[in-house]
């Protein structure tokens, strides 16, 4: 099939050089991904926007504003070939999902008249039952090639591997896929099989080609890195519209992960545009693709549209949102605490290192269960879905941070198994995976330059007022959430190795709300409980499991004595703190600054590496 593409492309070039003009076909693709139940507008913290913020024109997105933006673009493109696509994860993220379990999302997506949607992993959070109820309501096709429903599944045959649409007299194939690890990070249940994205898309593309279709879009929920590395390289895939990683691609925003579109070389000898549009209804993707007469992409351009105050929310949708919000407004508005400063719960912080929200949630878990002998807690960074601004904290804000209705779990686990769990949590840092561990009652250091499965350098557990090396044979009493305890996010060792487990505690949002109320005004902080290091002579994970720093490994405080080392910036880092950790003296920060080109001390980029020279 690849050779066919190459031959067609060569023939096109020869014909063009000979003066023959083929008829081009233009297709405008509008798209969203990762709506996450942001029915109402959001603020800069991705939480529900307040009336005060709305009055200051500081709000973004929301379904009413999204409806206006889609209608506006359709009017602008009147008479042209237009598709509206949804790349999944419409569930979870606000009290609207907690209350209506997908019915509200289905209603508003129907109003917008999507042409197709792929399933996201969060569509399975309430098992296949939740997705089946959603499929009962939606009025557009859902395509996901690597979801196979068993004979007894409530999904039936309603999720197709692909569809073929006729747009402007041309056939367009749309093939879907969801993340391969959906059965780990969500709860599809025993009646639903999650296959391999590449293999199943490839098979679906072959079927589409049999129908004479030469323009094929992969509508995926696998993440930007996966789209670039694998999906865009599948033979005969022409365009990739993605989700899952919440990636903002843009040619104008300096915070973008990459250009919009990102062009990828397909082995068939042509380039494939890959797009994604952030998350939470903040952007509407807007891509124009020009195909030649053989279905090969000649040109692709565009940029996501920021849905700010310049878009007036659709009045009918605003009224309906207000009506649906009635039953939950009282709970949302209830002030449960105050915070002295914003609490950072961004995925950019909480999926790569210690973050303020992670500390808050993990501390709250330990505090709630300390009477049961719990000394430490671990929760997944991906379970933290928003930040909280400074000042009064409402219950609605807390639920936006912790929207999954997970319950507090307690259990006992051997130290060696805890190290295994931490290795799992640190195993996909490069992908920004949600399994990254946020902890309390323990201190961990890790080296992300090592292969996954051997990144833990040291683990210390709290004992009284001190921290002591982890004992691999000791049984620790821990707290987490029921999702992780059941093996979610790859924490299988919690399901197989835990004893005396109890998974039916209060919901995490209530635990955190109570903790905030008891500690008002709450002061956000990080304290170095998770330390990223690079130690060239560090030992193995087995050494770490022994509870001491691996033989030959250097602690952050002693690394600098033997030569230049590296430090990975985490939220809250300052050059003074790094110097104090490395040298024991904060005033030596200029040595680190000069070794790194004198970066702005108050604008250190999270995730970047600093060279730390010897003292």
């Amino acid at each position: 099939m690849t050779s066919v593409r190459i031959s067609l492309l060569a023939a096109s070039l020869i014909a063009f050089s000979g003066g023959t003009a083929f008829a081009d076909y233009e297709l405008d693709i509008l798209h969203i991904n990762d709506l996450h139940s942001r029915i109402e507008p959001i603020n800069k913290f991705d939480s529900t926007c307040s009336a005060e913020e709305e009055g200051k024109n500081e709000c973004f997105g929301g379904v009413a504003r999204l409806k206006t933006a889609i209608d506006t673009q359709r009017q602008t493109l009147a008479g042209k070939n237009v598709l509206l696509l949804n790349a999944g994860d419409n569930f979870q993220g606000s009290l609207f999902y907690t209350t209506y379990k997908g019915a509200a999302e289905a209603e508003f997506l129907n109003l917008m008249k999507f042409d197709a949607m792929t399933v996201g992993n969060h569509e399975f959070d309430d098992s296949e039952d939740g997705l089946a109820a959603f499929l009962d309501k939606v009025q557009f096709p859902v395509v996901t090639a690597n979801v196979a429903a068993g004979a007894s599944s409530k999904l039936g045959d309603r999720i197709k591997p692909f569809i073929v649409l006729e747009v402007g007299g041309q056939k367009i194939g749309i093939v879907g896929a969801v993340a391969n690890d959906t059965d780990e990070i969500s709860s599809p249940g025993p009646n639903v099989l999650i296959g391999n994205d590449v293999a199943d898309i490839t098979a679906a593309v072959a079927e589409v080609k049999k129908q004479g279709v030469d323009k094929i879009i992969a509508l995926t929920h696998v993440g930007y890195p996966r789209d670039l590395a694998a999906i865009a390289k599948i033979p005969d895939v022409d365009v990739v519209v993605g989700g899952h990683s919440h990636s903002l691609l843009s040619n104008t925003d300096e915070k973008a992960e990459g250009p919009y579109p990102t062009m990828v070389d397909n082995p068939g000898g042509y380039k494939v545009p890959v797009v994604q549009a952030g998350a939470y209804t903040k952007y509407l993707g807007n891509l124009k693709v020009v195909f030649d007469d053989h279905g090969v992409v000649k040109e692709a351009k565009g940029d996501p549209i920021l849905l700010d105050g310049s878009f007036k929310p659709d009045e009918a949708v605003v009224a309906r949102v207000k009506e649906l919000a009635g039953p939950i407004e009282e709970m949302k508005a209830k002030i449960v605490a105050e915070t002295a400063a914003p609490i950072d719960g961004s995925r950019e912080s909480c999926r790569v290192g210690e973050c303020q929200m992670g500390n808050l949630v993990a501390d709250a878990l330990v505090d709630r269960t300390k009477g049961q002998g719990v000394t430490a807690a671990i929760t997944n960074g991906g379970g933290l879905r928003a930040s909280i601004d400074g000042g009064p904290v409402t219950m609605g804000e807390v639920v936006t941070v912790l929207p999954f209705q997970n319950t507090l779990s307690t259990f006992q686990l051997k130290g060696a198994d805890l190290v295994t769990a931490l290795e799992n949590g640190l195993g996909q840092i490069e992908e920004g995976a949600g399994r990254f561990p946020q902890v309390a009652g323990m201190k961990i250091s890790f080296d992300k330059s090592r292969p996954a499965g051997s990144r833990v350098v040291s683990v210390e557990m709290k004992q009284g007022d001190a921290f002591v090396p982890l004992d691999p044979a000791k049984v620790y009493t821990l707290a987490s959430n029921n999702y992780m305890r059941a093996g979610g996010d790859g924490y299988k060792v919690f399901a197989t190795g835990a004893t005396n487990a109890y998974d039916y505690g209060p919901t995490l949002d209530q635990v955190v709300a109570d903790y905030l109320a008891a500690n008002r005004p709450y002061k956000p902080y990080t304290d170095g409980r998770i330390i990223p290091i690079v130690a060239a002579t560090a030992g193995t994970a087995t050494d770490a499991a022994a509870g001491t720093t691996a033989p030959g490994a250097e602690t952050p405080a002693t690394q600098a004595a033997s030569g230049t080392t590296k430090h990975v910036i985490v939220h809250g880092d300052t050059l003074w703190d790094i110097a104090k950790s490395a040298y024991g003296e904060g005033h030596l920060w200029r040595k680190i600054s000069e070794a790194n080109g004198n970066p702005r001390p108050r604008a250190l980029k999270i995730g970047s590496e600093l060279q730390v020279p010897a003292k």
Side-chain angles (χ1 to χ4, degrees):
M1 200 167 294
T2 300
S3 61
V4 172
R5 276 288 174 126
I6 295 173
S7 298
L8 290 174
L9 185 59
S12 176
L13 293 172
I14 293 170
F16 180 79
S17 64
T20 302
F22 287 107
D24 290 340
Y25 174 81
E26 291 188 1
L27 179 65
D28 287 280
I29 302 172
L30 306 177
H31 60 99
I32 68 166
N33 56 276
D34 300 281
L35 181 143
H36 282 299
S37 193
R38 294 312 202 270
I39 303 298
E40 296 177 305
I42 60 173
N43 59 19
K44 64 181 180 180
F45 296 101
D46 297 332
S47 295
T48 302
C49 208
S50 67
E52 180 182 1
E53 289 168 323
E54 191 74 73
K56 294 179 180 178
N57 207 29
E58 296 176 346
C59 297
F60 305 91
V63 292
R65 190 172 273 115
L66 178 60
K67 175 70 162 55
T68 295
I70 290 171
D71 289 348
T72 299
Q73 285 305 107
R74 280 182 168 144
Q75 290 169 10
T76 300
L77 298 169
K80 297 187 177 182
N81 307 312
V82 181
L83 282 177
L84 177 62
L85 303 178
N86 182 321
D89 266 10
N90 300 287
F91 289 8
Q92 294 287 17
S94 78
L95 291 173
F96 281 85
Y97 182 76
T98 304
T99 304
Y100 297 107
K101 293 299 181 182
E105 290 76 12
E107 177 179 338
F108 293 118
L109 293 175
N110 284 338
L111 279 177
M112 298 172 202
K113 301 184 186 308
F114 278 84
D115 292 296
M117 168 192 146
T118 194
V119 170
N121 54 286
H122 282 291
E123 265 74 77
F124 288 106
D125 280 356
D126 282 302
S127 76
E128 65 170 323
D129 293 353
L131 178 54
F134 177 79
L135 294 174
D136 287 341
K137 298 177 178 64
V138 296
Q139 300 165 359
F140 46 81
V142 177
V143 292
T144 313
N146 61 333
V147 168
S152 57
S153 171
K154 296 178 181 178
L155 302 181
D157 63 352
R158 290 179 291 177
I159 298 177
K160 308 294 185 182
F162 66 88
I163 57 169
V164 175
L165 301 176
E166 187 167 312
V167 184
Q170 296 281 324
K171 290 182 177 181
I172 308 295
I174 301 175
V175 181
V178 70
N180 291 337
D181 60 351
T182 293
D183 55 350
E184 287 188 9
I185 63 178
S186 191
S187 306
N191 298 322
V192 179
L193 175 66
I194 306 298
N196 178 270
D197 53 3
V198 171
D200 292 333
I201 288 178
T202 300
V205 167
E207 292 301 313
V208 173
K209 295 288 289 182
K210 289 179 182 178
Q211 299 187 27
V213 179
D214 62 3
K215 303 173 184 66
I216 300 176
I217 299 169
L219 181 60
T220 69
H221 193 85
V222 303
Y224 181 54
R226 180 71 173 170
D227 282 335
L228 298 182
I231 307 301
K233 296 181 180 180
I234 296 173
D236 295 310
V237 164
D238 297 297
V239 179
V240 180
V241 177
H244 189 47
S245 56
H246 297 207
S247 301
L248 173 61
L249 306 182
S250 173
N251 304 312
T252 56
D253 193 318
E254 61 181 14
K255 296 181 181 179
E257 289 187 38
Y260 184 104
T262 303
M263 303 301 290
V264 177
D265 289 321
N266 186 285
Y270 61 98
K271 291 185 178 294
V272 175
V274 175
V275 293
Q276 196 172 144
Y280 306 142
T281 71
K282 191 173 183 178
Y283 295 91
L284 174 64
N286 183 32
L287 177 70
K288 181 183 290 294
V289 182
V290 180
F291 295 89
D292 71 13
D293 197 47
H294 297 293
V296 177
V297 174
K298 291 179 58 178
E299 181 183 1
K301 62 182 180 180
D303 219 39
I305 301 168
L306 176 64
L307 305 190
D308 58 13
S310 64
F311 288 90
K312 182 182 178 182
D314 182 280
E315 292 182 2
V317 176
V318 169
R320 179 58 176 153
V321 170
K322 186 175 182 180
E323 181 182 359
L324 290 172
I328 58 179
E329 200 60 42
E330 184 177 346
M331 180 175 67
K332 279 179 55 182
K334 181 181 179 182
I335 296 175
V336 295
E338 295 84 34
T339 179
I343 308 172
D344 179 23
S346 66
R347 62 191 287 126
E348 293 82 6
S349 298
C350 297
R351 296 182 179 216
V352 297
E354 177 187 0
C355 72
Q356 294 174 339
M357 192 68 73
N359 286 3
L360 165 62
V361 174
D363 287 349
L365 294 176
V366 171
D367 183 75
R368 188 64 166 244
T369 55
K370 59 187 177 184
Q372 303 172 40
V374 169
T375 58
I378 178 171
T379 194
N380 51 329
L384 312 176
R385 308 305 287 191
S387 301
I388 292 177
D389 55 358
V393 179
T394 66
M395 191 64 198
E397 287 180 292
V398 178
V399 174
T400 299
V401 173
L402 298 160
F404 301 119
Q405 298 291 284
N406 292 137
T407 53
L408 188 156
S409 290
T410 56
F411 55 99
Q412 292 181 309
L413 194 73
K414 287 184 178 180
D417 287 337
L418 177 55
V419 174
T420 299
L422 293 172
E423 289 287 8
N424 169 72
L426 299 167
Q428 296 181 5
I429 300 174
E430 300 86 352
E431 301 172 27
R435 62 185 61 194
F436 189 92
Q438 297 293 331
V439 302
M442 68 179 85
K443 290 183 178 181
I444 60 178
S445 64
F446 69 95
D447 181 352
K448 75 172 185 178
S449 68
R450 291 176 171 182
S454 59
R455 290 177 169 174
V456 172
V457 175
S458 65
V459 183
E460 294 180 306
M461 305 299 291
K462 191 169 186 180
Q463 183 172 299
D465 294 328
F467 284 87
V468 300
L470 175 141
D471 181 349
K474 181 177 179 178
V475 174
Y476 294 92
T477 303
L478 307 173
S480 186
N481 60 70
N482 66 312
Y483 167 69
M484 292 175 64
R485 223 289 303 159
D489 258 344
Y491 285 89
K492 295 179 181 178
V493 70
F494 285 174
T496 60
T499 58
N500 299 319
Y502 184 77
D503 300 326
Y504 309 106
T507 58
L508 262 59
D509 54 288
Q510 191 60 57
V511 170
V512 171
D514 292 345
Y515 185 78
L516 286 169
N519 292 276
R520 65 174 72 190
Y522 179 77
K523 297 179 180 179
Y525 73 100
T526 56
D527 58 6
R529 62 184 68 177
I530 303 174
I531 304 172
I533 63 172
V534 176
T537 56
T540 65
T542 302
D543 299 320
T548 60
T549 302
E554 301 167 317
T555 66
T558 62
Q559 285 173 12
S562 63
T564 298
T565 60
K566 295 179 180 179
H567 177 91
V568 179
I569 298 297
V570 297
H571 184 81
D573 268 349
T574 66
L575 292 176
W576 180 280
D577 291 335
I578 297 169
K580 189 173 182 180
S581 175
Y583 308 138
E585 300 175 80
H587 67 84
L588 295 177
W589 67 271
R590 292 187 184 280
K591 179 187 290 288
I592 299 174
S593 179
E594 291 170 358
N596 292 276
N598 295 308
R600 293 169 57 197
R602 297 184 182 276
L604 301 176
K605 185 177 180 181
I606 294 173
S608 63
E609 291 185 344
L610 292 181
Q611 299 293 321
V612 181
K615 183 176 179 180

